[in-house]
Amino acid sequence: MSTFPGGTSLSFLDIYDDAAPDGVVGGSPHVHLASTECYVVVGGKGELHTVNLDGCREIALGHGTVVWFTPGTIHRAVNHGDLQVIVLMDNAGLPEAGDAVMTFPPDVVADPDRYRAAATLPPRTTEAERAADARKRRDLAVEGFTRIRDAIRAGDQEPLREFYAAAAALVQDRAARWPAIVRDGPLSRAETGLAMTSDLTVGVAGHLERAAVFQAPEPAPERAFGMCGRLRPYAVDQAVADKEHSS
């Protein structure tokens, strides 16, 4: 079980720096169905474009900006120059298990086979080929995103509601594995905290004698092609207690 705070995950993200067909530079619009995501901006500048039933927002991003968004918020990271963020993701392991759904056009999201084909980056031998595949996937997500965004701006919520329904249907089968991820992650960390605070109310503090320092392994030098940009996740679930300097 990971001891990382809150059962969250941590990644460094360099937002894509090429333009989509609509001229906007940045990543693939998508939504998380069960996880809250947080951006901590550590370099560059840009914007976060969001869409939900409350409307559309364009939030300026600069060094030190902290912004987070709950499940159901379609989001698109926009790069105005060297935008770099630290991503804190709720429910570590859940996004990798399929919690994220990209805003492909309705006919793609409604068909699991077509969605899988569009969302999966095929194995490639060169960096340029992988980048081209990621760009093609991003551009298809932008196509669906602009349709939903423009409808919301016009006061029409139906395309977004239809996307929500299609996204939920798309993940229904694999969602059976998700409660275990939440139980073993954030719920377990919360229960541990609750037990410690309950012990302290009666003067018991045995957990202090089990104190430890953990350090995550360095992320791989290769940056993966994520939805929003080039991604370097930290394997915080593989951290071990640091006893190197113990006396």
Side-chain angles (χ1 to χ4, degrees):
M1 181 184 68
S2 174
T3 58
F4 196 70
T8 57
S9 64
L10 172 70
S11 300
F12 282 131
L13 179 65
D14 298 311
I15 307 300
Y16 288 130
D17 58 3
D18 60 308
D22 62 351
V24 176
V25 175
S28 306
H30 62 282
V31 70
H32 294 284
L33 276 69
S35 297
T36 294
E37 183 174 3
C38 176
Y39 280 4
V40 181
V41 182
V42 295
K45 57 183 180 179
E47 294 178 336
L48 178 69
H49 293 185
T50 67
V51 178
N52 55 32
L53 290 174
D54 288 334
C56 306
R57 295 186 65 189
E58 297 181 358
I59 302 168
L61 301 178
H63 186 272
T65 301
V66 178
V67 59
W68 63 92
F69 34 93
T70 59
T73 301
I74 296 175
H75 50 285
R76 181 186 191 184
V78 176
N79 191 350
H80 292 329
D82 300 321
L83 182 60
Q84 299 175 316
V85 302
I86 293 175
V87 178
L88 291 172
M89 179 62 70
D90 201 9
N91 302 320
L94 196 56
E96 294 80 1
D99 168 57
V101 174
M102 283 179 277
T103 55
F104 296 145
D107 57 329
V108 179
V109 180
D111 185 326
D113 291 334
R114 290 186 64 189
Y115 180 89
R116 188 181 306 109
T120 303
L121 298 181
R124 297 292 189 180
T125 57
T126 71
E127 182 90 354
E129 287 176 330
R130 293 194 295 272
D133 289 333
R135 187 179 307 115
K136 180 180 178 181
R137 179 178 69 176
R138 187 272 315 274
D139 293 351
L140 187 63
V142 168
E143 180 181 338
F145 170 78
T146 54
R147 174 181 177 271
I148 294 170
R149 179 201 61 196
D150 293 348
I152 288 291
R153 285 176 173 172
D156 180 8
Q157 296 182 337
E158 193 59 27
L160 178 54
R161 293 184 185 276
E162 290 174 352
F163 172 74
Y164 284 161
L170 186 66
V171 306
Q172 184 175 359
D173 289 343
R174 60 178 179 263
R177 303 189 302 273
W178 295 358
I181 294 175
V182 176
R183 280 194 300 267
D184 294 342
L187 180 58
S188 177
R189 295 305 307 145
E191 288 176 337
T192 297
L194 181 61
M196 289 188 294
T197 55
S198 297
D199 285 348
L200 289 167
T201 65
V202 294
V204 176
H207 61 276
L208 299 181
E209 298 183 8
R210 299 188 296 273
V213 177
F214 292 83
Q215 183 171 355
E218 287 292 321
E222 298 82 10
R223 298 176 303 161
F225 286 90
M227 293 185 184
C228 293
R230 302 299 300 274
L231 190 67
R232 288 189 300 140
Y234 272 85
V236 295
D237 59 329
Q238 298 176 21
V240 296
D242 184 358
K243 300 179 179 179
E244 180 180 351
H245 300 101
S246 298
S247 58

